[in-house]
Amino acid sequence: MENTIEIRNLNFGFQPGKPILKNVNMNIPKGSIYGFLGANGAGKSTTMRLVMGLFNDPENSVKVFGETVSNIYPEGLHRIGSLIDYPAFYDHLSGYDNLKIVCTIRGLDESKIEEVLSLVGLSKAAKMKMRRYSLGMKQRLAIALALISNPELLVLDEPVNGLDPGGMVEIRELLIQLNQQHGVTIFISSHLLQEIDKMVTHLAVIADGEIKFQGSKEELKELYKFQKTKFFMNNAAEFIEFLNADYDAELKSTTEISVVTQSTEEVARINKILTEKGAGVYQISAGGGLEEWFMELTKQN
């Protein structure tokens, strides 16, 4: 599979002996929506800045469109839209005029402005002065700016910050549309795991500057095919000892036991055993999912 971004053995830091990124390896396939997940300070933004050529990469560890960062920029900026640092807009000008200035500076077609404003839901606010924009509206305009060059690749660092739930859904649907209908490759970081889970095809998890996982969602699911199932009952402590005789079980609270299970049939079997023992199970919650997998991957050993 062709990769839009390739990162090989990337090590980076601002001070000797204090690395921020440690032997980072990543492949962002062409046509993918690639989620980049990690806690604050894990190295996400630093990696994205290196991809965009904002930090020097002396070892040429990063390639975009098959070219090293040092070779592809500045010409490559016409093929890439990014939202890394929040762009500086003129508050006394309208959203439309702010985009018009960017088009003039970069030699881009101004006819694209109305299209991208419509895509991000700002058509009605196009002539409104920026000082009247809410935080969410400003974030939408920043995404419109990333789209103005009709890019093949979008690099977006926390693009839904400041958006209400409805705005998040709209931006998610927009990114999926750009990916599926226009073939745009999207490299996106976010701390909102549930939102990322609804759109990505591939992902990487980074912790303390090290990649803990990278690959497709299917590969991640296969890695964690044995999931933890939560059984809720009264007096859970009475049943943990006998479960541990045959299963990997953990008492989570007075009403919850977590059990590692391998199939729905096994879940049903455990529930039957508990019921026959008089446990009075009143709820079963399937484990797994991106949030739980993320916690497993990033927990301290």
Side-chain angles (χ1 to χ4, degrees):
M1 180 180 292
E2 182 181 351
N3 295 313
T4 298
I5 300 172
E6 293 184 1
I7 301 176
R8 292 287 178 271
N9 305 317
L10 173 61
N11 295 278
F12 181 84
F14 295 108
Q15 301 178 43
K18 294 184 178 180
I20 297 173
L21 301 175
K22 308 163 190 174
N23 197 37
V24 169
N25 290 274
M26 294 170 64
N27 295 316
I28 290 80
K30 181 179 180 180
S32 66
I33 301 180
Y34 195 103
F36 195 25
L37 311 179
N40 290 337
K44 301 189 305 298
S45 295
T46 299
T47 303
M48 288 184 151
R49 285 179 169 86
L50 284 158
V51 168
M52 293 304 301
L54 300 176
F55 293 152
N56 186 34
D57 173 25
E59 301 299 323
N60 289 323
S61 301
V62 182
K63 290 185 177 181
V64 182
F65 300 125
E67 296 282 345
T68 61
V69 168
S70 58
N71 287 337
I72 195 170
Y73 297 123
E75 290 78 10
L77 290 174
H78 291 287
R79 304 173 65 187
I80 304 169
S82 68
L83 176 54
I84 305 293
D85 296 310
Y86 184 76
F89 290 119
Y90 296 101
D91 280 350
H92 66 287
L93 297 179
S94 67
Y96 183 96
D97 286 340
N98 269 279
L99 294 184
K100 185 176 180 179
I101 288 174
V102 173
C103 287
T104 301
I105 293 173
R106 296 178 59 184
L108 301 174
D109 187 356
E110 293 180 14
S111 65
K112 186 76 175 177
I113 296 176
E114 291 186 3
E115 179 184 344
V116 296
L117 287 173
S118 176
L119 280 172
V120 299
L122 286 178
S123 293
K124 294 182 179 179
K127 299 300 182 181
M128 184 188 297
K129 295 291 191 291
M130 280 285 298
R131 66 171 64 96
R132 295 176 56 198
Y133 275 30
S134 66
L135 177 60
M137 293 170 71
K138 290 179 179 178
Q139 194 72 1
R140 291 168 188 259
L141 191 66
I143 294 174
L145 178 59
L147 297 173
I148 198 68
S149 64
N150 196 30
E152 301 171 46
L153 167 66
L154 279 177
V155 179
L156 307 174
D157 191 9
E158 302 282 0
V160 295
N161 274 358
L163 298 183
D164 58 25
M168 291 181 189
V169 171
E170 290 175 3
I171 295 303
R172 182 214 314 155
E173 291 176 348
L174 166 63
L175 296 178
I176 292 174
Q177 175 187 342
L178 289 169
N179 174 257
Q180 295 182 351
Q181 297 183 14
H182 302 279
V184 179
T185 302
I186 300 172
F187 183 30
I188 177 174
S189 76
S190 179
H191 65 280
L192 302 173
L193 301 184
Q194 290 184 342
E195 194 60 31
I196 281 287
D197 195 21
K198 295 172 183 175
M199 75 173 83
V200 299
T201 59
H202 297 72
L203 67 155
V205 175
I206 187 170
D208 193 28
E210 298 182 24
I211 299 297
K212 301 299 183 179
F213 172 85
Q214 80 118 4
S216 68
K217 283 181 69 175
E218 288 71 23
E219 289 170 329
L220 182 60
K221 290 177 182 178
E222 179 64 20
L223 181 64
Y224 286 98
K225 61 183 178 182
F226 302 142
Q227 64 184 19
K228 294 181 179 180
T229 301
K230 302 172 184 177
F231 294 85
F232 295 88
M233 68 203 78
N234 295 321
N235 302 320
E238 296 179 11
F239 306 95
I240 184 65
E241 186 173 346
F242 102 86
L243 275 180
N244 269 327
D246 297 306
Y247 300 97
D248 181 2
E250 179 183 1
L251 183 66
K252 305 295 287 188
S253 71
T254 57
T255 60
E256 178 187 345
I257 294 177
S258 175
V259 186
V260 176
T261 57
Q262 302 181 27
S263 65
T264 55
E265 290 78 14
E266 187 169 51
V267 172
R269 185 162 57 250
I270 293 171
N271 182 52
K272 182 180 179 181
I273 293 171
L274 286 169
T275 301
E276 290 175 346
K277 291 287 185 179
V281 177
Y282 59 82
Q283 181 180 338
I284 299 174
S285 177
L290 185 55
E291 185 172 348
E292 184 172 314
W293 298 333
F294 175 82
M295 297 303 296
E296 283 290 323
L297 285 164
T298 58
K299 69 181 181 183
Q300 297 293 330
N301 295 320

